[in-house]
Amino acid sequence: MSREALKFLQISDLHLGAGLAGGRLKLPYDKIQIRAREMREVVKTAIELARNEAVEAMLIPGDLWEQDGVSLEDINYILDYFERAQIPILIAPGNHDYYYPSSHYNDNLIASTCRRRWPSNVHIFRDYEFDHIMLPELPEVVFSGFAYRSASEVHIRLLESRVETPDAALHICLLHGSRDNNLPNGKMRTLPFSDADLLNQPFDWTALGHYHRHSIIQDDQGRIRAAYTGAASAFSLNETEAGGALLGVVRPGGVKPDELKLIQLDARRIHHLSMDITGCAHTQAVEERIEAGLRAGNVGKDDIALVELTGAYPPGSRIFLSEDFIRSACWFLRVETERVLPEWSLEGLSEVNPRTTEGLFIARIKQMMEDADRRGDTIERQRLQHAMQYGLNALHSRPINVR
Ligand SMILES: [Mn+2]
């Protein structure tokens, strides 16, 4: 018997139960509730997609939930919808939904907490080493996976040598790890692997989880051999490029580029934008600048946006954005003004009383600037200009931001 293809749907990094209250977005309580609900509904959307597309298996390479935040309601929701999928669902627990005796992945535990077990169509990798699963309903396909047993990083390079797998027409791997040279800022480096090591494996397809941004790994013939779907939905500023779900057809040797599709599962996107308001002299001008920036950044009306204002604004003036403006801009808008610097112009400074602390400070820095100019030391001159801004901000009790 031989198998020519397998149609799959891949999702990962749903992070159900993730704390939505912290961070710079500072979502209000009512929107946190809505967002938590929407994040859970991504499960249902994915299952519906799998059924509509007549997918043969679902691949979940980790971080379905956050161990510390997930609720039993979330788990019950997952159990319900996974059962309705009626197709094999394979799960390789990641560093946030790791497998250990008190994990919700333990059938004995949920038998008492949820009064049920994982549905028979769900197959969970529970070993801290490669395990290989073959399913009677999908003959000629081997699924290989590994389970985290804690939230700590895994240093082993699991793909360094070639993995021994049972014979079959198709080999599929689920891996929650870090692709070398692609580690996003602040992301934990765990279960690292190189593109070369991955391409050297017997796997026709490797479903990757952990990175929240979509990316693919291709062999020298252009066949796609692995992909991160990216986060299923955006829940913090780390998911401004959230993925969704990957719908693909794997054949012996890989996936053809025109047989892999990234599908959005969640209606909302999170944007992190920076806008320079230099030249604006009043709040309405700032609002117009923000409006134009949101348009340029393709921020939709259902979206969430953090706007970081930069540049200079007349000293003594306050930016006071109207409630109406904030409400109508998009579903949730947070504007940070802390990085805006008062526009201290050197000419204006001569009017400051020379006998005050501020006056003495200005006179001293100006004298040092002149010395720097005489020596032709432009670097020192620049440094003193910054020092003048920092000092004046400090004297006026304004935040100091490194330029
Ligand atoms: Mn992870």
Side-chain angles (χ1 to χ4, degrees):
M1 197 195 301
S2 85
R3 180 174 251 277
E4 255 128 57
L6 178 96
K7 193 170 184 184
F8 66 90
L9 189 75
Q10 177 180 325
I11 54 168
S12 72
D13 299 273
L14 283 82
H15 291 268
L16 297 191
L20 300 172
R24 287 165 66 185
L25 275 174
K26 300 189 181 73
L27 278 179
Y29 181 78
D30 59 327
K31 296 206 161 153
I32 288 174
Q33 304 311 309
I34 295 172
R35 230 19 223 143
R37 199 189 150 97
E38 289 173 348
M39 281 173 67
R40 189 190 288 163
E41 278 165 358
V42 157
V43 171
K44 179 183 171 202
T45 310
I47 298 299
E48 284 169 355
L49 180 63
R51 297 203 58 164
N52 292 339
E53 293 286 342
V55 156
E56 293 165 279
M58 248 178 99
L59 312 174
I60 308 182
D63 289 358
L64 189 46
W65 61 69
E66 298 224 352
Q67 183 58 39
D68 293 338
V70 70
S71 63
L72 281 181
E73 204 186 347
D74 291 325
I75 300 297
N76 275 312
Y77 189 95
I78 292 171
L79 290 167
D80 256 358
Y81 281 96
F82 279 13
E83 184 162 35
R84 287 184 211 184
Q86 294 180 340
I87 51 164
I89 298 179
L90 294 111
I91 304 173
N95 61 307
H96 283 281
D97 58 345
Y98 51 91
Y99 180 74
Y100 71 123
S102 309
S103 157
H104 301 293
Y105 285 130
N106 185 338
D107 263 328
N108 295 327
L109 182 97
I110 66 160
S112 71
T113 54
C114 301
R115 310 252 169 249
R116 61 192 291 187
R117 292 174 171 271
W118 281 92
S120 58
N121 60 313
V122 178
H123 307 277
I124 301 159
F125 291 96
R126 293 187 173 93
D127 286 341
Y128 191 66
E129 60 184 354
F130 261 127
D131 187 20
H132 311 285
I133 297 179
M134 290 189 85
L135 305 170
E137 61 270 46
L138 291 173
E140 286 301 307
V141 186
V142 174
F143 297 94
S144 305
F146 166 99
Y148 281 65
R149 60 182 174 192
S150 78
S152 338
E153 65 253 62
V154 178
H155 298 288
I156 21 173
R157 295 189 73 91
L158 213 50
L159 301 186
E160 204 162 47
S161 49
R162 201 173 148 94
V163 178
E164 290 293 325
T165 55
D167 278 345
L170 281 176
H171 291 90
I172 293 172
C173 174
L174 291 85
L175 191 76
H176 193 87
S178 301
R179 180 184 180 192
D180 287 350
N181 308 318
N182 282 271
L183 191 70
N185 261 342
K187 191 87 192 163
M188 184 174 97
R189 186 180 147 86
T190 184
L191 211 65
F193 64 90
S194 69
D195 286 12
D197 285 348
L198 183 135
L199 292 171
N200 184 40
Q201 294 299 328
F203 309 123
D204 302 291
W205 179 252
T206 300
L208 296 170
H210 190 48
Y211 291 177
H212 288 188
R213 184 180 171 176
H214 170 62
S215 70
I216 58 168
I217 298 175
Q218 275 173 298
D219 66 15
D220 50 15
Q221 288 154 68
R223 285 172 309 193
I224 305 173
R225 293 277 303 281
Y228 288 98
T229 313
S233 64
F235 54 95
S236 78
L237 291 169
N238 293 326
E239 293 83 32
T240 52
E241 290 172 82
L246 271 179
L247 182 66
V249 178
V250 54
R251 300 175 190 279
V255 172
K256 295 182 200 156
D258 62 350
E259 290 190 314
L260 188 71
K261 248 196 311 194
L262 182 65
I263 296 165
Q264 199 176 329
L265 296 175
D266 177 23
R268 291 188 214 292
R269 295 252 166 212
I270 294 184
H271 306 260
H272 186 176
L273 303 164
S274 172
M275 298 179 195
D276 190 326
I277 58 159
T278 305
C280 297
H282 53 81
T283 292
Q284 281 85 341
V286 174
E287 289 178 354
E288 280 171 27
R289 185 72 53 93
I290 294 172
E291 244 165 18
L294 293 177
R295 264 199 310 275
N298 289 317
V299 176
K301 67 172 186 15
D302 292 330
D303 289 355
I304 295 168
L306 175 79
V307 170
E308 194 179 290
L309 298 182
T310 65
Y313 197 65
S317 310
R318 282 189 61 197
I319 301 167
F320 196 78
L321 303 169
S322 82
E323 289 273 336
D324 275 354
F325 170 76
I326 299 273
R327 247 199 313 273
S328 61
C330 55
W331 188 68
F332 179 74
L333 173 67
R334 164 83 52 206
V335 178
E336 289 182 349
T337 56
E338 290 81 3
R339 284 177 66 92
V340 176
L341 295 165
E343 205 170 19
W344 308 106
S345 71
L346 288 179
E347 296 79 64
L349 294 177
S350 45
E351 288 155 29
V352 175
N353 182 346
R355 293 173 63 187
T356 59
T357 307
E358 188 180 352
L360 289 167
F361 170 73
I362 291 166
R364 178 77 183 116
I365 297 284
K366 272 190 169 174
Q367 192 200 327
M368 289 168 79
M369 280 180 176
E370 281 161 21
D371 291 348
D373 284 345
R374 254 195 307 281
R375 293 195 307 274
D377 188 343
T378 53
I379 292 170
E380 179 68 3
R381 162 82 195 199
Q382 172 99 60
R383 206 173 277 150
L384 288 162
Q385 250 163 1
H386 289 170
M388 182 78 94
Q389 300 290 339
Y390 295 149
L392 289 168
N393 284 338
L395 286 164
H396 287 263
S397 302
R398 287 175 186 277
I400 299 183
N401 297 300
V402 179
R403 306 182 138 216

